[in-house]
Amino acid sequence: MFQKTVSNLKSNWPLVGFLVIGLIAFLSSPSKSEQDPLETVAAPASVDTYIPAGHVLVPIEIANAESLASLVGDMGGVVDLYLASNDTQKGGLKVGSKLKLLRAPLNPQQYAVLVKDSESPRLLSFSGPFIAVVQNPEARGNSVTPASSPRKAVRIDYQN
């Protein structure tokens, strides 16, 4: 019986070779419990790789963040920024217009605006929090209003 089995294996040597190689490959592969769990999960992309040359991302505090989260997408949108009212400052002053607002990928409750590198000190001169007003994403050109922009006085002349 043993001799008959050996003679059958010799005549079917390609099949035997295939089975042996498959068995070796199966035994040498790591089990699922041995695999590193960090290898299977892709690392989140860093936002700083998407910043265009000559621009910076300025993290800001948004007073209307909860309502804004329901209006803008996962990445953000185009907004106008206004100062929010608090105990020390009067609100309603327009700080920037048509700014690209980005949501943080690791914490969607945090926001930043994309501004030119030369305009970031002016934006940082305002103390937050800010109110963000959603704009049309097709709008072009962004700007930060200077901190020392004088308000124009309204003059009314009465004539009889």
Side-chain angles (χ1 to χ4, degrees), residues 50-75:
Y50 302 112
I51 300 174
H55 289 75
V56 294
L57 272 178
V58 179
I60 58 172
E61 181 183 353
I62 302 285
N64 60 338
E66 188 174 322
S67 58
L68 187 65
S70 62
L71 296 174
V72 296
D74 290 339
M75 293 299 290

Side-chain angles (χ1 to χ4, degrees), residues 26-44:
F26 177 74
L27 294 176
S28 66
S29 67
S31 67
K32 289 189 178 191
S33 61
E34 293 176 9
Q35 289 180 352
D36 187 12
L38 295 178
E39 289 179 356
T40 59
V41 177

Side-chain angles (χ1 to χ4, degrees), residues 95-111:
V95 175
S97 62
K98 298 179 185 109
L99 301 174
K100 179 64 177 170
L101 181 78
L102 298 174
R103 292 177 80 170
L106 299 178
N107 184 358
Q109 297 303 318
Q110 297 296 317
Y111 293 92

Side-chain angles (χ1 to χ4, degrees), residues 16-159:
V16 172
F18 180 74
L19 291 175
V20 169
I21 290 174
L23 183 64
I24 291 171
F26 177 74
L27 294 176
S28 66
S29 67
S31 67
K32 289 189 178 191
S33 61
E34 293 176 9
Q35 289 180 352
D36 187 12
L38 295 178
E39 289 179 356
T40 59
V41 177
S46 178
V47 176
D48 61 355
T49 59
Y50 302 112
I51 300 174
H55 289 75
V56 294
L57 272 178
V58 179
I60 58 172
E61 181 183 353
I62 302 285
N64 60 338
E66 188 174 322
S67 58
L68 187 65
S70 62
L71 296 174
V72 296
D74 290 339
M75 293 299 290
V78 177
V79 298
D80 284 352
L81 284 183
Y82 295 88
L83 279 177
S85 298
N86 60 23
D87 297 339
T88 60
Q89 69 187 10
K90 180 182 175 185
L93 176 66
K94 191 172 191 178
V95 175
S97 62
K98 298 179 185 109
L99 301 174
K100 179 64 177 170
L101 181 78
L102 298 174
R103 292 177 80 170
L106 299 178
N107 184 358
Q109 297 303 318
Q110 297 296 317
Y111 293 92
V113 288
L114 184 68
V115 295
K116 292 180 183 175
D117 191 23
S118 60
E119 294 180 346
S120 62
R122 283 190 276 178
L123 181 61
L124 292 172
S125 69
F126 297 103
S127 62
F130 300 99
I131 302 266
V133 178
V134 180
Q135 291 292 318
N136 184 346
E138 300 297 322
R140 296 284 179 222
N142 61 2
S143 65
V144 176
T145 306
S148 60
S149 64
R151 292 190 177 211
K152 294 183 179 180
V154 177
R155 182 176 172 190
I156 300 174
D157 292 329
Y158 293 101
Q159 294 180 355

